[in-house]
Amino acid sequence: MNGPQHPEAKPKPNAAALLPILLFLVIYLGSGIFFEYIHHVEGRMGFYIISVVVAFGIALIVAFLQNRSLGFDEKIHLCAQGIGDDNITIMLLIFLLAGAFSGIASAAGGAVSTANMLLNIIPARFAVSGLFIIACLISMAMGTSVGTITVLAPIAAAVAENGGLSLPLCVGTVVGGAMFGDNLSFISDTTIAATKTQGVAMKDKFRTNIKIALPAAIATLVLLIVLSLGSDPAPVGRFEFQPLLALPYFVVLALALLGVNVFVVLLVGILLFLVMGLGFGGLGYAGAFAAMGDGTSGMFETMIVTILVASISALMKAHGGFEAILQFIRTHFSGKRGGMFGIALLTAVMDIATANNTVAIVIAAPIAKDISDEFGVSGKTTASLLDTCSCILQGVIPYGAQLLVAAGITGISSFSIVPFLFYPFLLLIFVAISILRAK
């Protein structure tokens, strides 16, 4: 043999090839449930005790042990091809820049200043609907729902206390807005993962996505305004802010919406926050670069997961795992609508199992790509479904990081927030409508 070889013919359907991912789900979901609800560890989130990297590492070992028809070198070659895909490489580089941007933006205090500035402008009667708008804008600019919730949850608690409003309502409103922005942001890791794995431009995915997300957001805003009209206004207080620290977020948001290359958008955002943070945010030179380093380090787990999943997916596909899923979908669904529903269902199940929308997308994406090719679903539609469906489930599962962080900061139960998650539930309805209307 002159080098690693791998079969070119399409593999036969083989459900056993899905064992690695099923094993991952058993390990990760099982341990998460155990440590969250059966043997809770004080101060720790159950789904984050067992590292997702370790769980995927075990799954990769199992994938290597399968398919005896291929040698070890051939399997390594398949993994290298999966990892070396152009879109995977671009995705990894964007993750690094997004981490640096998130780190310095947080250290400079840009998100808090932006939120406080907007909250001071909004009339007291519409404070709750204002929280939703603020969360939407902040999360679109930050590109992270958890980061947005971390910043806004204390503000939501202050608004609820000062205005005599329902705390779960205020917190649920912030979570909903955070998921809206996470779903649409050009620098969100979910957007990056969804678009790059499907090989589509972010602006094309955004245009498809906005047709579903914006009506859901408008419906949520109308509902919140109606609820506000039924209550007496109360002062919610004044919040301090620095306008110049809010400027970089609006610049980044504008550049992203104009379709500027995401690398350029992130670099401009980093430079602006560096200048503003040093000049007005009390951020020192050493602190600025330390913050960028911390933000980049925060992306390492996501990057390692991406590499591991790319390897596992390549091995499962060569062993007939993807063909088995396609065969199942062919049996139970038909036409473009059936393919879209299959992608939505696959993504939702992965998010329920992993409690992480980015990981869910990375797992589901290569299979979704095959489904879209088989059923004639466009890449931009597939990317939109991956991102949207993962955000819907991630925004409502009580054991997900978003609700657990919101509950932990405000001192309430994550389950008490669920009835007030208007946006994710409305988004689910609009996704279903978009599938039913597909031609």
Side-chain angles (χ1 to χ4, degrees):
M1 184 179 291
N2 296 322
Q5 303 292 324
H6 61 280
E8 296 295 334
K10 181 180 290 188
K12 295 180 179 179
N14 180 14
L18 299 173
L19 178 61
I21 205 66
L22 294 176
L23 179 63
F24 162 78
L25 295 177
V26 169
I27 294 172
Y28 192 69
L29 181 61
S31 65
I33 292 173
F34 179 78
F35 288 116
E36 184 66 31
Y37 300 110
I38 300 174
H39 185 68
H40 183 68
V41 179
E42 192 65 31
R44 299 285 301 277
M45 291 187 288
F47 278 79
Y48 294 86
I49 289 178
I50 299 296
S51 169
V52 66
V53 172
V54 172
F56 271 124
I58 295 171
L60 180 58
I61 292 171
V62 173
F64 263 96
L65 294 175
Q66 290 186 304
N67 198 1
R68 299 291 181 85
S69 64
L70 295 178
F72 181 79
D73 288 344
E74 292 174 306
K75 292 174 182 176
I76 288 290
H77 182 62
L78 285 171
C79 291
Q81 284 187 316
I83 298 169
D85 181 86
D86 289 356
N87 291 315
I88 295 294
T89 303
I90 292 171
M91 188 163 66
L92 294 174
L93 293 175
I94 294 175
F95 281 154
L96 285 173
L97 274 179
F101 172 80
S102 177
I104 193 168
S106 177
V112 174
S113 280
T114 305
N116 287 351
M117 181 180 70
L118 293 171
L119 198 56
N120 283 335
I121 296 172
I122 296 167
R125 176 184 287 276
F126 302 109
V128 178
S129 47
L131 281 172
F132 179 71
I133 295 172
I134 292 168
C136 290
L137 292 174
I138 294 293
S139 57
M140 278 194 70
M142 288 183 71
T144 164
S145 54
V146 173
T148 300
I149 292 166
T150 302
V151 169
L152 294 184
I155 296 174
V159 168
E161 182 178 1
N162 296 344
L165 302 168
S166 164
L167 180 55
L169 169 63
C170 291
V171 175
T173 299
V174 165
V175 173
M179 300 316 297
F180 170 86
D182 193 359
N183 182 202
L184 289 175
S185 174
F186 280 68
I187 57 176
S188 165
D189 48 3
T190 57
T191 297
I192 296 164
T195 54
K196 296 309 174 186
T197 54
Q198 303 307 306
V200 300
M202 291 188 183
K203 62 181 180 180
D204 292 333
K205 178 261 185 188
F206 179 85
R207 289 167 183 162
T208 303
N209 218 155
I210 195 73
K211 295 175 183 177
I212 303 170
L214 186 59
I218 292 172
T220 302
L221 189 59
V222 170
L223 177 59
L224 291 173
I225 290 173
V226 170
L227 291 175
S228 299
L229 292 174
S231 61
D232 295 327
V236 296
R238 302 292 295 176
F239 300 88
E240 295 184 1
F241 64 93
Q242 170 56 263
L244 289 175
L245 290 178
L247 178 62
Y249 274 134
F250 291 108
V251 172
V252 165
L253 192 57
L255 290 175
L257 293 175
L258 288 171
V260 176
N261 183 283
V262 67
F263 285 103
V264 175
V265 172
L266 288 169
L267 286 172
V268 169
I270 290 169
L271 289 173
L272 282 175
F273 269 119
L274 181 61
V275 172
M276 296 301 178
L278 292 173
F280 308 99
L283 192 63
Y285 178 83
F289 283 93
M292 283 190 276
D294 290 341
T296 301
S297 298
M299 284 291 187
F300 286 174
E301 184 176 81
T302 300
M303 295 173 71
I304 296 299
V305 166
T306 300
I307 291 170
L308 289 173
V309 172
S311 300
I312 294 169
S313 296
L315 293 173
M316 288 197 308
K317 185 172 185 176
H319 199 26
F322 288 10
E323 278 301 309
I325 293 175
L326 282 171
Q327 186 181 58
F328 174 83
I329 293 176
R330 289 187 198 108
T331 303
H332 295 86
F333 303 102
S334 61
K336 184 178 179 179
R337 293 175 187 168
M340 292 173 66
F341 184 77
I343 293 168
L345 183 61
L346 172 69
T347 309
V349 170
M350 289 299 105
D351 193 86
I352 290 171
T354 62
N356 185 305
N357 45 348
T358 305
V359 173
I361 290 171
V362 173
I363 296 173
I367 304 171
K369 185 74 168 65
D370 282 0
I371 295 173
S372 64
D373 292 341
E374 176 87 16
F375 288 82
V377 182
S378 68
K380 59 186 180 182
T381 298
T382 300
S384 174
L385 286 171
L386 283 168
D387 200 347
T388 304
C389 294
S390 67
C391 283
I392 290 172
L393 271 298
Q394 190 65 25
V396 299
I397 52 176
Y399 54 87
Q402 284 75 4
L403 287 188
L404 289 177
V405 167
I409 291 173
T410 55
I412 58 178
S413 164
S414 61
F415 286 93
S416 69
I417 304 172
V418 174
F420 300 99
L421 296 169
F422 303 135
Y423 173 72
F425 291 125
L426 285 168
L427 183 59
L428 176 61
I429 293 172
F430 279 94
V431 168
I433 292 173
S434 72
I435 293 175
L436 292 174
R437 292 180 61 188
K439 298 179 180 179

